[in-house]
Amino acid sequence: MRVALQITCVNDAMFPDTGKAVVRLLRRLGVEVDFPAAQTCCSQPMVNTGYLDEAVPVVRAYVDAFSGYDAVVTPSGSCAGSVRHQHALVARRSGDPGLVAAVADTSPRAYELSEFLVDVLGVVDVGAYFPHRVTYHPTCHSLRMLGVGDRPQQLLENVRGIELVDLPHATECCGFGGTFALKNADTSVAMGADKARHVRDTGAEVLVAGDNSCLMHIGGMLSRQRAGVRVMHLAEILAATA
Amino acid sequence: MSARDEILAKVRSALDGVEPAYAVPPAPRVPDRGDLAALFVERVEDYRAVVTRCAAPDLAGVVAQVLDGARAVVPPGLDLDLPGAVTDDGFTAYELDRFDAVVTRARVGIAETGTIVLDHAPDQGRRAISLVPDLHVCIVDAGQVVADVPDAIALLDPARPLTWISGPSATSDIELDRVEGVHGPRTLHVVLVS
Amino acid sequence: MSGTFVGMPAFPTAAREALGDTQLRRNLAHATRTIRDKRAKVVAEVEEWEELRLAGAGVKEAALRDLATHLETLEDSLTRAGATVHWARDAEEACAIVASVTKAQGADEVVKVKSMATQEIGLNEALEADGIAAWETDLAELIVQLGEDLPSHILVPAIHRNRAEIREIFRRRMGAVGRPAPDGLSDEPAALAGAAREHLREKFLRAKVAVSGANFAVADTGTLVVVESEGNGRMCLTLPEVLISVVGIEKVVATWADLDPMLRLLPRSSTGERMNPYTSTWSGVTPGDGPQEVHVVLLDNGRTRALADDVGRQALRCIRCSACLNVCPVYERVGGHAYGSVYPGPIGAILNPLLNGVTDPQTASLPYASTLCGACFEVCPVRIDIPSVLVDQRAAVVDSHRDDRIPKPEAVAMKGAAWTFSSARRLARAEQASGLAGRVLGRFSRTTLPGGQAAAGRLPGPAAGWTSARDLPAPPAESFRAWWLRTNGGTDGGQDGGGS
Ligand code: SF4
């Protein structure tokens, strides 16, 4: 099985440690991932802002980078969702039957990390050790767009030493929403403030999620509030060992 | 072009190239819930309506007891001897407003939702009489109770005016706090006859 | 005597004002949470809910796809049942029809059943201009009307008001238009409902003309359906001599049997009940029972525009249950007024642009009033994929500016991003630059983000929207891409990605 890592533009530029954690984790599980150097971005920033024409060359770049792989794994529910649900739309807009066909081929092979681990590799115990009090925020796109269900929780429950606590109102959006965070900054912050409060209420040391964009938003609130709660990507906890 | 023709033309052009035939997935049926009369009673009571069960021979007595002397109007086709009750004679709304109660039968009861449907046949009377008085005593035959909404829809005749009643009138318009009793009858008393 | 949405600012500005109103936020949070929980409970009771949603979506979709046929059938059935059918291209035509039917009765007032269509067309204001008083009889509508306020929710238009505010409105305003509120009126919901009952009773009893909408219009039988709770609907549909129903053309379902999934879906989604207290159906005129003159106004007012939109068409399936408002995290915090329309919340964010186009800046701001979290789609009883339509309407907004002589800064930025993101080489160069910026920012920042990453504090320029309340991690010195290249995927020198 040829497996590629789609790092995502945000992780590439802002959170390289998450990518390193994915590589470490998969290697431990016996999976050697490629990093196709031609990859850039899933096109979601353009699509979700309404710039469909602008998204076309970006989707083309994705298809060029990842065609030929059996599976593309990405540490972002949002980007996996964009590949699986939005690429077809962008391809249709391009009017290029070649791109439509290429997207139909690559899109279904995109997996969010927890999907890849549980569904493709068939593991829920990845041999991690993380002796901390942790609460999990299911991000909207993993939950509702991809339907990852409780896969992340299954993985976390099998981490040794972890104390997993429920996040109140967990399924409520954190208020990030891509450009929403800037276009509607006041509403975004109001939502983030509630999410940060729920996180603090758990008494957790660490907030974990499958998307660094949402974590950047919630973490940014927690940091400003000097809340003393760390935010970590799911991959980083799963990669941790004794 | 008339408004009618223009709207229809716009509809047609909007749907140009859209396949008009569309297969509607069938609506699912509820699983068998066992004793329908019992479920009906439970669900009607959930709306804070009052339910009395009785046998057919006791009906007149039970209804008289429920009315407890209230000034009642009844539809012309109500086949029940109720001393003091006045048969509807085409009363105006103002005249109906002077009655305390109304007694009607029903066309169908729906167990799953605790709903009674009136089709305003002569034993139920025209719509106004079961609306204006503050107490509605509604007689439902146990044999009239069906399992769920689709069963009721299949039985009912859409050419007749229909009133579906699920508990007393209610509102949640103030802080989403449910309050029984606004404009329709504030008390619904269902007599289930078996 | 009511407010107007005309001239409302764009969503972000209106939202900011609403967010500053702590009383409003408390009222909304309480109300939306209550109704959400109620809905969740009665929906969980239906094991086959997802199949029911599919059936409901199917019924409406089928009706829309052959709408012209169904409308002609409906007209025919209604006429045969003794109703008079009118057609209205827009709000103005619809209002004129209602006014002329009312005047023909010599009436100078109408009682109204709560109806979104008549709010949409501004019927009350149009009638008032024509010397006809329109009395709203739904409790929440009455609160809005007496308070000279604007509706902020589809189902509970006064959701933004709490009991104390409502008591004040009743005490101050009822007397001017009819029976005053009783002395010593308390703020108990039961007492307030009682005051409304007394106030409206005389209006119901004397009314000659009623105006309603319809939740559904059944084509093959000519049946209109009104779903309600209080009995004000029954009063209006039964007691007056003349009934005028304003019905959007998308309310059609093909057959009587089609009402089945709809009547199971609507109450549970809307008020969170197994069934709403009252549903009335009528087919034209019934001799000796109810209004003896029945008019139906079939309304377009932008619906054919929405119908022509291949992605947006599904918005016309909407049965106005308001479940999407109640679960929407944006609506919950800013309320309905910020949307500047009688259709607020997620459905409003797509319906208003679909009905009216995106030429005016206020409407154009609505598709962006969402994080695309998808909670609305999850609860919608007719499975409207609101997030997808939102994205599509954003594209409509962007496309409407493609020919601007001076492009918006955002368009320039997006073009730049597309240019960078269509080549990995260009992206790598951009990352080098941001890494440099990160080193600079990191040096100036006083805070570090949890996890140890340097954080940028308050920044000027476009980033200010972010950093006014949130720290921003400073970009790391080395991107993942650069690290992979330098360490050969972490295999050289046991760096990071190697074993641990
Ligand atoms: S869009 Fe769906 S959930 Fe929202 S009001 Fe309409 S039917 Fe209800």
Side-chain angles (χ1 to χ4, degrees):
Chain A
M1 185 171 61
R2 290 190 67 207
V3 181
L5 168 65
Q6 180 205 351
I7 182 67
T8 84
C9 60
V10 167
N11 289 326
D12 184 15
M14 302 289 284
F15 306 101
D17 288 347
T18 297
K20 295 173 197 170
V22 175
V23 173
R24 204 157 63 229
L25 170 66
L26 291 181
R27 237 170 233 163
R28 197 168 72 215
L29 296 170
V31 178
E32 210 35 68
V33 283
D34 281 355
F35 178 76
Q39 66 179 281
T40 60
C41 162
C42 67
S43 85
Q44 188 175 205
M46 287 108 221
V47 177
N48 283 357
T49 322
Y51 289 82
L52 294 190
D53 287 347
E54 286 73 5
V56 171
V58 183
V59 168
R60 221 181 272 285
Y62 177 92
V63 166
D64 289 346
F66 292 107
S67 64
Y69 284 97
D70 301 307
V72 177
V73 55
T74 185
S76 161
S78 197
C79 300
S82 164
V83 173
R84 291 228 293 264
H85 296 282
Q86 296 182 331
H87 277 196
L89 186 141
V90 175
R92 268 203 306 280
R93 166 99 172 194
S94 77
D96 172 2
L99 188 59
V100 172
V103 157
D105 183 53
T106 49
S107 285
R109 283 186 260 156
Y111 297 91
E112 179 274 336
L113 178 65
S114 73
E115 291 179 320
F116 182 77
L117 294 173
V118 176
D119 299 348
V120 180
L121 299 186
V123 289
V124 287
D125 184 350
V126 297
Y129 173 74
F130 192 75
H132 298 280
R133 188 176 166 91
V134 173
T135 191
Y136 170 71
H137 167 62
T139 63
C140 299
H141 288 175
S142 343
L143 192 69
R144 285 181 277 259
M145 201 173 185
L146 287 179
V148 302
D150 66 351
R151 290 176 186 81
Q153 284 100 323
Q154 289 180 41
L155 291 160
L156 287 168
E157 276 160 15
N158 281 289
V159 170
R160 271 168 273 297
I162 200 166
E163 185 195 348
L164 207 53
V165 288
D166 281 342
L167 178 64
H169 307 290
T171 59
E172 247 172 55
C173 179
C174 70
F176 171 64
T179 41
F180 179 85
L182 297 171
K183 276 182 185 284
N184 282 286
D186 301 281
T187 312
S188 173
V189 165
M191 290 163 69
D194 289 342
K195 182 59 79 181
R197 179 163 44 81
H198 296 317
V199 171
R200 286 201 313 270
D201 287 348
T202 64
E205 301 157 65
V206 176
L207 169 70
V208 61
D211 234 306
N212 276 333
S213 310
C214 307
L215 285 178
M216 180 167 75
H217 167 71
I218 311 170
M221 307 256 352
L222 289 167
S223 162
R224 182 63 58 89
Q225 298 166 356
R226 306 275 198 277
V229 183
R230 267 195 294 165
V231 297
M232 283 176 83
H233 192 281
L234 177 67
E236 293 167 37
I237 291 186
L238 297 182
T241 48
Chain B
M1 229 200 289
S2 70
R4 173 188 188 278
D5 294 348
E6 193 176 321
I7 292 171
L8 287 172
K10 275 178 147 178
V11 168
R12 288 205 179 84
S13 94
L15 293 170
D16 190 29
V18 174
E19 170 58 44
Y22 187 82
V24 179
R29 305 268 331 168
V30 282
D32 189 356
R33 301 264 199 243
D35 184 351
L36 289 185
L39 180 64
F40 176 72
V41 170
E42 177 199 314
R43 297 272 155 109
V44 172
E45 284 176 339
D46 268 357
Y47 296 119
R48 282 179 249 181
V50 190
V51 185
T52 307
R53 298 188 73 159
C54 76
D58 306 332
L59 180 60
V62 167
V63 173
Q65 220 174 0
V66 171
L67 287 175
D68 191 23
R71 216 174 105 76
V73 60
V74 295
L78 186 81
D79 180 20
L80 201 64
D81 192 25
L82 291 175
V86 182
T87 301
D88 175 39
D89 189 19
F91 294 121
T92 65
Y94 287 104
E95 287 165 336
L96 284 175
D97 199 29
R98 290 200 285 270
F99 287 98
D100 307 314
V102 57
V103 182
T104 72
R105 290 193 180 264
R107 177 72 186 87
V108 62
I110 306 173
E112 187 71 19
T113 59
T115 303
I116 294 152
V117 187
L118 308 191
D119 70 359
H120 304 284
D123 59 355
Q124 300 148 52
R126 60 199 175 98
R127 282 172 281 174
I129 69 163
S130 45
L131 171 62
V132 180
D134 209 13
L135 164 66
H136 182 187
V137 182
C138 189
I139 304 162
V140 181
D141 218 85
Q144 291 181 308
V145 177
V146 298
D148 199 5
V149 172
D151 310 286
I153 300 238
L155 278 177
L156 294 164
D157 175 5
R160 306 192 60 86
L162 303 174
T163 307
W164 299 48
I165 298 171
S166 307
S169 88
T171 183
S172 299
D173 281 354
I174 300 163
E175 297 180 11
L176 273 302
D177 201 354
R178 187 179 159 105
V179 175
E180 277 82 23
V182 197
H183 306 294
R186 283 185 282 198
T187 310
L188 173 67
H189 196 125
V190 175
V191 180
L192 184 66
V193 190
S194 38
Chain C
M1 51 173 256
S2 61
T4 171
F5 281 117
V6 175
M8 279 283 288
F11 187 84
T13 310
R16 186 178 316 126
E17 272 165 41
L19 286 166
D21 184 340
T22 48
Q23 180 65 58
L24 173 73
R25 284 186 64 183
R26 253 202 306 276
N27 295 355
L28 280 169
H30 169 76
T32 52
R33 207 157 285 262
T34 308
I35 188 93
R36 273 207 303 262
D37 293 348
K38 277 173 77 178
R39 177 201 163 273
K41 216 170 113 207
V42 294
V43 163
E45 208 176 82
V46 183
E47 295 89 343
E48 45 307 279
W49 182 253
E50 290 308 315
E51 284 90 332
L52 203 55
R53 284 176 78 210
L54 284 168
V59 161
K60 293 289 290 186
E61 187 65 23
L64 289 172
R65 280 168 180 249
D66 198 8
L67 188 58
T69 309
H70 295 309
L71 285 171
E72 284 175 326
T73 310
L74 175 68
E75 177 184 42
D76 198 50
S77 319
L78 280 168
T79 312
R80 271 188 288 121
T84 307
V85 177
H86 310 257
W87 300 74
R89 277 171 278 232
D90 53 27
E92 202 183 324
E93 275 186 9
C95 293
I97 293 165
V98 176
S100 87
V101 171
T102 306
K103 281 188 185 156
Q105 300 302 317
D108 61 2
E109 65 171 4
V110 298
V111 284
K112 280 191 68 202
V113 189
K114 174 173 160 27
S115 126
M116 294 309 298
T118 60
Q119 278 185 23
E120 172 193 324
I121 61 175
L123 180 64
N124 296 3
E125 297 72 29
L127 291 179
E128 193 188 344
D130 240 336
I132 300 165
W135 307 116
E136 293 290 354
T137 65
D138 169 80
L139 179 52
E141 292 286 5
L142 177 71
I143 296 164
V144 169
Q145 189 176 41
L146 290 175
E148 299 189 357
D149 198 353
L150 288 164
S152 70
H153 188 274
I154 293 176
L155 175 72
V156 196
I159 197 168
H160 55 289
R161 297 288 196 189
N162 66 19
R163 57 186 75 192
E165 295 171 296
I166 294 166
R167 176 176 63 169
E168 252 330 281
I169 291 170
F170 280 11
R171 281 217 298 233
R172 277 201 341 265
R173 318 290 307 211
M174 271 184 171
V177 290
R179 190 182 170 127
D183 291 338
L185 177 65
S186 84
D187 66 0
E188 273 308 304
L192 295 169
R197 178 187 169 96
E198 295 310 320
H199 177 79
L200 287 172
R201 198 77 172 180
E202 56 176 23
K203 292 193 162 70
F204 288 133
L205 296 180
R206 72 169 186 236
K208 280 183 76 175
V209 181
V211 177
S212 82
N215 293 88
F216 305 100
V218 183
D220 71 343
T221 58
T223 309
L224 298 192
V225 181
V226 163
V227 173
E228 54 132 355
S229 294
E230 297 169 11
N232 63 309
R234 291 176 70 191
M235 291 280 177
C236 294
L237 302 171
T238 307
L239 300 182
E241 293 153 32
V242 179
L243 171 61
I244 311 166
S245 304
V246 181
V247 183
I249 54 173
E250 85 286 12
K251 294 289 161 200
V252 179
V253 297
T255 70
W256 174 248
D258 283 345
L259 284 181
D260 164 36
M262 308 326 290
L263 288 180
R264 279 195 272 170
L265 287 163
L266 178 54
R268 290 188 199 254
S269 301
S270 183
T271 47
E273 295 166 301
R274 295 189 183 109
M275 191 59 83
N276 50 290
Y278 300 130
T279 297
S280 299
T281 79
W282 71 101
S283 307
V285 173
T286 307
D289 187 348
Q292 296 300 294
E293 194 179 319
V294 169
H295 296 263
V296 177
V297 183
L298 296 175
L299 175 73
D300 181 351
N301 206 35
R303 285 158 179 76
T304 49
R305 188 188 184 283
L307 192 68
D309 188 307
D310 280 328
V311 178
R313 180 179 305 129
Q314 55 183 311
L316 295 178
R317 290 189 213 142
C318 174
I319 55 174
R320 312 282 188 259
C321 72
S322 69
C324 59
L325 279 62
N326 301 331
V327 297
C328 177
V330 175
Y331 177 89
E332 179 188 340
R333 287 174 181 83
V334 306
H337 292 157
Y339 295 81
S341 157
V342 299
Y343 300 114
I347 182 62
I350 58 173
L351 196 58
N352 292 302
L354 282 165
L355 294 176
N356 307 315
V358 290
T359 40
D360 112 85
Q362 195 277 330
T363 313
S365 71
L366 294 179
Y368 293 94
S370 164
T371 61
L372 305 177
C373 81
C376 46
F377 182 25
E378 201 172 47
V379 296
C380 177
V382 287
R383 295 180 53 89
I384 300 170
D385 183 354
I386 296 177
S388 292
V389 182
L390 282 166
V391 168
D392 198 60
Q393 285 304 304
R394 292 177 184 186
V397 173
V398 168
D399 291 343
S400 75
H401 287 284
R402 289 219 180 258
D403 296 329
D404 286 2
R405 233 162 29 84
I406 304 166
K408 289 194 291 185
E410 176 190 276
V412 176
M414 281 296 165
K415 281 209 166 36
W419 185 78
T420 309
F421 284 147
S422 39
S423 146
R425 233 170 354 102
R426 289 197 283 261
L427 178 57
R429 272 206 301 274
E431 284 167 356
Q432 269 167 11
S434 91
L436 209 65
R439 269 179 290 229
V440 176
L441 280 175
R443 205 172 309 141
F444 284 106
S445 101
R446 281 173 289 108
T447 42
T448 45
L449 266 187
Q453 197 155 339
R458 286 167 213 273
L459 296 175
W466 180 279
T467 55
S468 64
R470 293 161 285 200
D471 287 344
L472 185 67
E478 186 180 50
S479 69
F480 179 84
R481 178 185 308 274
W483 168 81
W484 181 280
L485 205 68
R486 181 173 59 78
T487 64
N488 192 19
T491 53
D492 291 354
Q495 294 256 9
D496 298 280
S500 64

